[in-house]
Amino acid sequence: MNNELVSHDTYWWFISLLTGGVATYWIGIDSYRLKKALAGDRADPAIRDRIFGSLVGIVVGFVGVAGVLLHHSR
């Protein structure tokens, strides 16, 4: 008797869609925050910190999307 609730492939696709969706959302949110920060006074250290944080967030989002794509390309 099989005790699985879903198949292995279904589980991996669910996790991939969840991870890819969160990463894409993260890219969108940090892109919006970056746009707002770039409109501010870039001489202010707090604004520069927001710009840096947004750029790091965007990179993390792209790593998440790339990881999902690489996982399914093999």
Side-chain angles (χ1 to χ4, degrees), residues 7-59:
S7 71
H8 182 74
D9 289 338
T10 303
Y11 171 76
W12 277 112
W13 275 106
F14 173 75
I15 295 299
S16 295
L17 290 173
L18 187 66
T19 303
V22 169
T24 302
Y25 180 75
W26 193 305
I27 291 168
I29 291 297
D30 273 330
S31 295
Y32 172 73
R33 290 178 180 166
L34 178 61
K35 182 179 175 183
K36 279 181 54 178
L38 288 174
D41 179 19
R42 294 183 199 164
D44 183 7
I47 299 295
R48 288 196 310 262
D49 188 49
R50 288 186 191 126
I51 292 170
F52 178 75
S54 294
L55 290 173
V56 169
I58 291 169
V59 169

